Amino acid sequence: MNAELSVRVHSRLAEVPAKQWDTFGSPDAPLSHEFLSALEETGCLGEAVGWIPMHLSFAAKGGGVPFAAMPAYIKTNSFGEFVFDWAWAEAHSRAGQAYYPKWVIASPFTPVTGRRLLAPAEVPDSSREAMLERAVKAGEAVGVSSMHWLFCTDPVLLEAPMLVQRMGCQFHWHNAGYRDFADFLDRFNAKRRKELKRERRQVLDAGIEIERIAGSQVDAAIWNRFHALYRSTFDKHGNYPALSAGFFHRIGETMGEKIMLVLARRKSNLVAAGFFLVGEDTLYGRYWGASEDVPSLHFEVCYYQGLEFCLERGLSCFQPGAQGEHKVSRGFEPTPTWSAHWIADPRLRAAIARHVEAERLHMEGYMQALECRLPFKKESGC
């Protein structure tokens, strides 16, 4: 494939047909056409929240049918990204420059790792490098201060000299071929295994019944109740509940088996629920809400039910969301994440690169310390 490309900017994902989007390397659930278009068409994005769709598609030079894309958004703030860059915004301000607008390539409000250059596997690196170069030229033409590929796994992005690569940390579970949940627990040391069993028993003793259902099985009443729980929990913690009830109704209809809800009921009353996206080999834990403070209910709904689901389906990875050192004692391992950043101003790019390198050294030490807090039977000198 010729590495010379043309690029087109799309203000609505609907401009790219869903069947065509699916040919771009079969994007996983968080970057699927159904998920991203639902965000746009149910009022979750736009100028009010600072996520303005501005996607890129790529075709051979001279036009033709696109063969690749980047899901991208002009950002007027840093809300909903989970790669914190307020210090970078401040540095731009001190230098007399505006940091916003910037261009972010990611799934909105969804800090999950994966490819950000969406293209079939047979597309060579030379074409992917050309995609990056054309994207940066588009950024220069638009006049953004920077471009950010968040939580990316693309080798081209992580090796590009023009980009600053930033390391982060999340807590992921990896399937080591466990037969079932009991087999997974058998890897734990005796103390932590007993504590985890006690946590699960607390939920049962509170009279809570747990059920897992696919998105296709969720009716309107359950979606409305889940949304109310989600909103109240976000409000309680001072966060902004960006997702509308219409969004959940929409993806329940369009994504079906790619969605899993964990429902927690006391008798017939739904008191808590968790929302998950089901990928090809990964489960993505996203949102939860609860109307009661039941000991260990959060762990059961958001972690243990997800782990059981992965084991039943043979999924290889569970990403339960951003942050949360409490996940380590429950078998989620500190895992490096990466983002790649293009900074327009060369001086600021150099300063940010120095900051990111110092940050990486600190992050590596932090993760190494967390490795020694894993609940597994000791296999090292920690």
Side-chain angles (χ1 to χ4, degrees):
M1 183 177 293
N2 195 312
E4 293 189 17
L5 306 177
S6 64
V7 61
R8 182 182 174 191
V9 177
H10 304 271
S11 60
R12 296 171 58 243
L13 194 64
E15 295 175 8
V16 183
K19 288 185 178 179
Q20 187 178 73
W21 188 264
D22 290 341
T23 68
F24 301 154
S26 300
D28 210 352
L31 290 178
S32 66
H33 197 280
E34 299 96 330
F35 186 78
L36 297 180
S37 61
L39 286 170
E40 291 184 19
E41 295 170 16
T42 59
C44 302
L45 305 179
E47 293 184 6
V49 293
W51 283 88
I52 303 167
M54 203 168 185
H55 310 295
L56 299 173
S57 67
F58 302 86
K61 192 171 184 179
V65 178
F67 69 90
M70 294 182 195
Y73 304 84
I74 293 294
K75 290 299 306 299
T76 57
N77 56 42
S78 293
F79 166 67
E81 298 174 24
F82 300 92
V83 176
F84 305 113
D85 62 354
W86 292 289
W88 300 7
E90 184 180 349
H92 277 71
S93 178
R94 289 198 304 268
Q97 299 187 33
Y99 188 58
Y100 307 106
K102 60 181 181 176
W103 213 340
V104 165
I105 299 87
S107 181
F109 318 118
T110 310
V112 299
T113 63
R115 295 175 301 113
R116 299 296 176 256
L117 310 184
L118 303 184
E122 62 269 20
V123 172
D125 283 351
S126 59
S127 292
R128 297 173 192 271
E129 291 165 356
M131 287 171 61
L132 172 59
E133 291 172 1
R134 294 294 291 122
V136 168
K137 287 182 180 178
E140 290 174 329
V142 171
V144 293
S145 71
S146 50
M147 300 184 73
H148 309 263
W149 290 262
L150 306 183
F151 301 102
C152 58
T153 58
D154 314 73
V156 165
L157 296 175
L158 299 181
E159 297 168 4
M162 73 171 71
L163 304 181
V164 175
Q165 287 80 21
R166 186 181 191 185
M167 183 182 185
C169 174
Q170 289 185 355
F171 304 97
H172 297 172
W173 175 83
H174 303 281
N175 193 341
Y178 304 112
R179 295 185 301 275
D180 51 28
F181 197 86
D183 190 34
F184 169 57
L185 274 189
D186 190 54
R187 189 182 173 195
F188 282 50
N189 62 54
K191 177 183 177 182
R192 188 57 198 139
R193 183 166 59 247
K194 181 179 179 180
E195 291 172 345
L196 194 149
K197 288 181 176 179
R198 178 177 53 80
E199 289 177 347
R200 303 203 73 180
R201 192 166 56 248
Q202 283 180 314
V203 175
L204 294 175
D205 291 345
I208 302 294
E209 296 181 350
I210 303 292
E211 179 185 13
R212 296 196 300 268
I213 61 175
S216 56
Q217 299 175 282
V218 183
D219 61 26
I222 292 178
W223 277 127
N224 288 337
R225 177 59 176 160
F226 170 74
H227 185 256
L229 292 169
Y230 153 77
R231 281 189 63 92
S232 65
T233 299
F234 266 57
D235 289 341
K236 179 180 177 180
H237 294 284
N239 297 321
Y240 174 73
L243 304 182
S244 65
F247 167 77
F248 291 110
H249 285 276
R250 167 76 174 269
I251 60 173
E253 295 173 356
T254 60
M255 297 187 70
E257 299 298 315
K258 294 180 181 178
I259 292 171
M260 190 263 286
L261 277 190
V262 175
L263 307 178
R265 292 187 176 93
R266 190 192 301 278
K267 296 182 179 179
S268 60
N269 184 31
L270 186 59
V271 298
F275 170 82
F276 300 76
L277 293 172
V278 183
E280 289 296 319
D281 65 354
T282 301
L283 180 67
Y284 305 97
R286 296 307 311 123
Y287 301 101
W288 108 295
S291 60
E292 297 184 17
D293 292 325
V294 178
S296 302
L297 183 59
H298 175 259
F299 304 139
E300 181 64 35
V301 170
C302 296
Y303 305 150
Y304 304 144
Q305 288 295 320
L307 288 170
E308 287 193 339
F309 181 86
C310 289
L311 291 164
E312 292 171 8
R313 294 291 186 94
L315 300 181
S316 62
C317 182
F318 178 13
Q319 298 185 24
Q323 288 92 46
E325 292 182 8
H326 59 275
K327 296 168 186 168
V328 173
S329 64
R330 292 164 179 89
F332 293 88
E333 302 181 39
T335 304
T337 60
W338 292 94
S339 298
H341 310 266
W342 173 77
I343 311 297
D345 186 285
R347 296 168 301 165
L348 288 168
R349 186 186 315 165
I352 288 173
R354 291 192 296 271
H355 164 75
V356 164
E357 175 60 17
E359 185 181 59
R360 181 187 64 79
L361 295 174
H362 171 76
M363 188 64 65
E364 288 176 348
Y366 168 73
M367 291 177 60
Q368 186 175 19
L370 288 175
E371 288 279 352
C372 293
R373 290 166 50 184
L374 285 166
F376 307 134
K377 299 169 185 174
K378 293 303 180 186
E379 301 168 356
S380 68
C382 290

